[in-house]
Amino acid sequence: MFIDTKNARILLIGYIIIALICAFALMLPSMHNGQMRFIDALFTTSSALSVTGLIVKSSAIDFTFTGQLLILCLIQLGGLGYMSLWSILYILFRKNINHSNVLTLKENLAYPTTEGISEFLKKMFIMAFSIEGIGAVILTMRFMLDMSIEEALWQGIFHSISAFNNAGFSILSEGLMPYRDDLVINLVITMLIIIGGLGYFVLIETHLVLKKHTNGFSIHSKIVFIMTAILLLSAFLSVFLLEYNNPKSIGELPLQYKILSSYFAAVNYRTSGFNTLDLSLLQDPTLFFSSIFMVIGGAPGGTAGGIKVTTIAIIFLHVYAMIRGSAQTKVFSRTIDFQSISKAFVVMVLASAYITIMLLTLCLFEDGGARGFLALLFEVCSAFGTVGLSMGDGGILSLSAHFSDFGKSIIIILMLSGKVGIFAFSISMMLRQKKSHIQYPQTKILI
């Protein structure tokens, strides 16, 4: 069942209000260093809440510890979903969630039914904090080799939460660039990103399967695992092969570090904005294919953005069925319902339309620098997919740092629409239509 217009609007308005309130909080002198314009504060809170990672102010330099803590809280809130947090508080205080909010929560979590959603929420929070905790311990131990215990602990906690929630924010002055060849940092960060991008439904079901509390994986989980593996391998090969001889990126690295850097980049195209390579030095074909992977994103009901791997899977399966002349779209001996197929194509069309319109708008008003159109395309796809990767401003900031207030506003809209989902975002913009009981006769149109 498609999400109701009212619930979609509530979801979107909630994120906007939180971003605005926290932007005003970031304007406080205790939150930042130096000058802070409101549009930059709003850009930062929107990026953190949508777990994107695009920055127009350095998280390490321009924000105090209190400011960084607020950003981290927004990342955690964005990854779990504010509706989830609100609902778990209700459950803890033994209050019932009304039916309308349950439906909104169901859509936000991509949970199949409204039954058992309270128990699912509890497991979701326990799993999220447990994974983040393990990641934080390992990262802290690694960072202790380079800094004091207190700083290593803060860096470990921040990067673990940022990675698991696919946010890509870093409070290291140079990001993770100095750790390009570090096996521990690369593997821990990428594992957190992949796990977060699978979706809470898949993670909880995996736990149940491992504990032998259920016979096997659902079709949804199987599709997510297969598509995740295919996309990661495809992204890895695109970077590794296209950049293999590029001396500006990985061309002069030893083979093992070429593999490691390509793998790290491939994982981060799944909607996390960490990078160990200067993306402005990548070749045009690499950047183009990277944009496609960023728009696809991760799985539903998780911390990743994009149009989702299940959407792409359904479209490919339906196209394959049509080419074969089959009347049914099948997967794992099951028929995919028409509503799912219809929604997948609608999401694809809406995503293409939004990206095109926003890209054309930016092309009219903003400068993409030396790489021009491609740099703007990369920035738009990164914002829409809530990825956070950018070809940069020549320093540590995103390309958006060069944009005018209008250009930054466009990116903010893209990040928030990517967070709530392009389908829910589009529905929230529409006027409620009255139900019609009139059945019109069918017609055929030549294609």
Side-chain angles (χ1 to χ4, degrees), residues 229-444:
I230 291 173
L231 291 169
L232 282 176
L233 179 60
S234 301
F236 166 77
L237 290 175
S238 71
V239 178
F240 183 74
L241 296 177
L242 292 172
E243 296 296 320
Y244 191 88
N245 293 315
N246 182 6
K248 295 180 180 179
S249 57
I250 65 172
E252 297 182 350
L253 298 178
L255 179 60
Q256 66 269 29
Y257 294 134
K258 285 183 179 181
I259 294 173
L260 188 62
S261 295
S262 299
Y263 164 72
F264 191 88
V267 172
N268 277 273
Y269 291 153
R270 297 188 39 78
T271 81
S272 186
F274 293 111
N275 64 289
T276 56
L277 296 172
D278 185 345
L279 300 182
S280 65
L281 302 178
L282 300 184
Q283 300 187 89
D284 289 358
T286 310
L287 294 170
F288 174 75
F289 286 114
S290 302
S291 300
I292 296 175
F293 288 118
M294 290 193 295
V295 171
I296 294 173
T303 60
I307 62 174
K308 310 304 182 188
V309 295
T310 47
T311 300
I312 295 298
I314 290 172
I315 290 173
F316 282 162
L317 288 168
H318 185 66
V319 170
Y320 178 69
M322 291 291 288
I323 292 173
R324 290 189 62 195
S326 174
Q328 297 178 325
T329 302
K330 294 176 287 187
V331 60
F332 295 113
S333 302
R334 295 289 188 275
T335 301
I336 302 175
D337 66 291
F338 175 76
Q339 196 174 52
S340 296
I341 296 171
S342 177
K343 185 175 180 180
F345 276 95
V346 169
V347 168
M348 174 66 82
V349 171
L350 287 174
S352 302
Y354 273 88
I355 290 171
T356 302
I357 293 169
M358 294 303 191
L359 178 59
L360 288 173
T361 304
L362 284 179
C363 286
L364 291 172
F365 296 96
E366 304 297 341
D367 180 16
R371 304 295 282 273
F373 175 81
L374 188 59
L376 292 176
L377 172 65
F378 195 86
E379 197 83 358
V380 167
C381 291
S382 180
F384 176 81
T386 67
V387 181
L389 293 174
S390 176
M391 292 176 66
D393 68 334
I396 60 174
L397 304 180
S398 303
L399 180 64
S400 297
H402 284 315
F403 291 174
S404 64
D405 290 356
F406 176 74
K408 290 175 181 176
S409 300
I410 293 293
I411 298 298
I412 289 172
I413 293 171
L414 280 166
M415 291 190 293
L416 291 176
S417 66
K419 175 57 187 173
V420 299
I422 192 61
F423 192 80
F425 180 79
S426 300
I427 288 177
S428 67
M429 297 292 106
M430 299 296 176
L431 295 174
R432 185 189 294 268
Q433 288 187 339
K434 294 182 179 179
K435 290 184 178 179
S436 175
H437 300 286
I438 300 173
Q439 184 77 28
Y440 293 96
Q442 291 185 346
T443 186
K444 289 187 177 181

